[in-house]
Amino acid sequence: MLIRFEVSNYRSISAPAELSMVAIDRDRPEARFQPLLGESLLPIAAIFGANASGKSNLISAYTWLQEAIFSSLREWDDGIPIEPFAFGNNPEKPSEFSVEYMINGVRFEYVLELNSEKVIYEALFHYPEKKRRRVFERDGDDFKLQRGLGTLSGTRELLTDRTLAVSIARRSDEPLVTGFVNKVLRSQTLGLTPHRPRILGGWGTRLGYGRAARQRSTIRYFEEPDQPSLFEGSNDPDLRNTPREQALALLRLADLGIDDVMIDEVAYPDAREPRNQRRVRLVHQTAGARTPLDFAVESEGTRTWFNLIGPVLTALRYGSLLLFDELDASLHPTLSAQLIQLFHDPVTNPLGSQIVFTSHDTSLLNHLNRDEVWLTNKNADGSTTLGALADFAGERVRKSQNLENAYLHGRFGALPQVDQTELLRALGLIG
């Protein structure tokens, strides 16, 4: 499970912004206790704030780091496609990333510091028996390995100023590295607008799509009805159903009147040669009749929920992280609340999968605990501040607080400051 993620000098994030999944209120089933950490971790973090306050940039920063681990060895020859804080006065100031995970009960910590020209510092640590031990550490040209990790000895020879050591080391069979990398690369990002930063006159990599942030297609769950259950060891009979049955149960959960999914191939005539194309139809149950409809004619909300099923089941299957930018732009509030419940409930989320999402939908605050809510504000210099709701005004943010009502009344900030004076003047309505 993700413990924390921190980033600085990235897009609108200037000073360090830290998202922590450590629970403050441990006395509830949603909080998963980690013995070697001595803390409980949360399955959900929700980020609220005004438009342009930087909510999406936290999601983007994690996805950038994920893509960097995946592709630096092959794609950073001409420069590092980092986007530092746009309004800073020091273009060479490094950007910094730090991510911590619990993997098989052991804490792992990865730290990275770089600019557009070179990697300045990089390290991977783990904490067996709560004591910090180095897997590898790189400080400038100095590269050190934990004693006994001979399988990583070739990493030093392949290092360049613009290559991450973890990108090289992940090709080895060393479990300390591959376990951490697999955990990061299994994260999935949804809703993030594709963006490609310019580097040295060319284009950088497309962030979060198709490679590092792989998404398991929903269709595959319906095409493979005979594969084993996602949760073989579960005592709950519903969780021992096949993935197809679980995907169908999620689809029916939305109460869309859909009874089944049909996938077949249809021949489409072409000017030169015929070709087959996969066709997806959702079967609706109406007044004693079952009617299949082409996926393309379904409502946007139905299509969105269908496409979300694959990534959600994948996250639940591997106990991995799902990041979702602007959850409320894609789902009805009722479905968003159902999604939150799926990750909250240890029965449907036995492996500690996590979801981090941004939203403007304040009704979702009624389904969240105070330590699951984060707020972004935009400062006068254009930078983003990220703060935990649970830390706001100390103990006055009670567990019993009506979070939605307090938020809408401006108690926590993070609301848009609406001033119509300039607009009214431009329309000639005031002098």
Side-chain angles (χ1 to χ4, degrees), residues 101-171:
Y101 267 102
M102 289 299 292
I103 302 173
N104 296 324
V106 177
R107 175 184 169 195
F108 281 76
E109 177 187 13
Y110 178 71
V111 182
L112 176 63
E113 180 181 348
L114 46 65
N115 57 31
S116 61
E117 293 297 323
K118 64 180 180 179
V119 178
I120 299 168
Y121 179 82
E122 181 187 10
L124 178 63
F125 303 99
H126 65 135
Y127 293 74
E129 300 177 357
K130 298 185 178 182
K131 295 181 180 179
R132 188 189 202 192
R133 297 189 65 186
R134 175 175 56 212
V135 179
F136 68 78
E137 188 172 13
R138 165 203 198 165
D139 192 352
D141 295 329
D142 187 27
F143 183 75
K144 297 177 181 178
L145 282 172
Q146 177 181 317
R147 184 176 299 176
L149 297 184
T151 56
L152 300 181
S153 58
T155 303
R156 182 181 289 102
E157 283 69 35
L158 294 176
L159 273 183
T160 70
D161 286 348
R162 296 172 183 165
T163 304
L164 297 185
V166 73
S167 298
I168 301 170
R170 67 181 281 255
R171 298 190 171 197

Side-chain angles (χ1 to χ4, degrees), residues 2-291:
L2 178 68
I3 303 171
R4 58 178 288 274
F5 173 67
E6 182 176 320
V7 59
S8 65
N9 195 30
Y10 177 83
R11 292 194 179 181
S12 67
I13 301 171
S14 177
E18 180 188 40
L19 178 74
S20 172
M21 305 298 286
V22 175
I24 291 178
D25 303 317
R26 303 183 187 182
D27 55 340
R28 62 193 207 275
E30 296 89 346
R32 314 295 176 91
F33 183 67
Q34 308 294 317
L36 282 183
L37 186 65
E39 301 282 359
S40 295
L41 298 179
L42 299 168
I44 290 176
I47 307 169
F48 291 83
N51 285 329
S53 63
K55 300 186 300 297
S56 299
N57 287 338
L58 193 72
I59 302 288
S60 174
Y62 181 96
T63 307
W64 188 94
L65 179 63
Q66 182 189 36
E67 179 71 18
I69 292 172
F70 182 79
S71 63
S72 75
L73 183 60
R74 294 182 296 177
E75 298 191 1
W76 284 9
D77 291 342
D78 296 325
I80 299 175
I82 187 65
E83 295 178 84
F85 177 59
F87 305 110
N89 54 13
N90 183 2
E92 295 306 313
K93 180 182 178 181
S95 299
E96 299 182 29
F97 300 82
S98 177
V99 62
E100 295 184 30
Y101 267 102
M102 289 299 292
I103 302 173
N104 296 324
V106 177
R107 175 184 169 195
F108 281 76
E109 177 187 13
Y110 178 71
V111 182
L112 176 63
E113 180 181 348
L114 46 65
N115 57 31
S116 61
E117 293 297 323
K118 64 180 180 179
V119 178
I120 299 168
Y121 179 82
E122 181 187 10
L124 178 63
F125 303 99
H126 65 135
Y127 293 74
E129 300 177 357
K130 298 185 178 182
K131 295 181 180 179
R132 188 189 202 192
R133 297 189 65 186
R134 175 175 56 212
V135 179
F136 68 78
E137 188 172 13
R138 165 203 198 165
D139 192 352
D141 295 329
D142 187 27
F143 183 75
K144 297 177 181 178
L145 282 172
Q146 177 181 317
R147 184 176 299 176
L149 297 184
T151 56
L152 300 181
S153 58
T155 303
R156 182 181 289 102
E157 283 69 35
L158 294 176
L159 273 183
T160 70
D161 286 348
R162 296 172 183 165
T163 304
L164 297 185
V166 73
S167 298
I168 301 170
R170 67 181 281 255
R171 298 190 171 197
S172 72
D173 294 326
E174 173 50 54
L176 289 176
V177 175
T178 57
F180 168 78
V181 170
N182 288 340
K183 178 63 73 172
V184 174
L185 295 189
R186 277 180 177 153
S187 303
Q188 302 169 93
T189 302
L190 301 171
L192 192 65
T193 302
H195 180 79
R196 297 188 294 179
R198 286 188 179 276
I199 57 168
L200 302 179
W203 284 100
T205 56
R206 186 181 179 187
L207 300 185
Y209 290 82
R211 295 184 303 176
R214 298 175 187 86
Q215 298 166 14
R216 178 69 183 264
S217 168
T218 299
I219 294 176
R220 293 185 61 183
Y221 282 94
F222 288 102
E223 285 183 322
E224 303 171 7
D226 296 328
Q227 62 178 316
S229 168
L230 304 184
F231 309 109
E232 284 289 335
S234 174
N235 293 321
D236 190 316
D238 292 334
L239 294 182
R240 294 200 298 269
N241 293 334
T242 67
R244 186 186 196 282
E245 292 169 325
Q246 292 172 353
L248 192 57
L250 268 182
L251 188 58
R252 291 169 176 165
L253 181 69
D255 193 24
L256 302 168
I258 297 170
D259 185 60
D260 203 353
V261 176
M262 298 173 58
I263 301 174
D264 53 18
E265 286 194 353
V266 178
Y268 288 85
D270 187 83
R272 289 167 294 183
E273 59 181 353
R275 60 187 176 89
N276 291 336
Q277 182 171 315
R278 185 167 48 187
R279 178 178 62 175
V280 178
R281 290 181 293 171
L282 306 185
V283 181
H284 292 254
Q285 182 76 42
T286 57
R290 299 174 79 247
T291 306

Side-chain angles (χ1 to χ4, degrees), residues 393-404:
E395 286 301 313
R396 290 205 299 269
V397 184
R398 303 180 307 276
K399 293 172 65 175
S400 59
Q401 175 83 22
N402 184 319
L403 299 183
E404 181 184 18

Side-chain angles (χ1 to χ4, degrees), residues 7 94 386 423:
V7 59
L386 176 70
L423 173 62

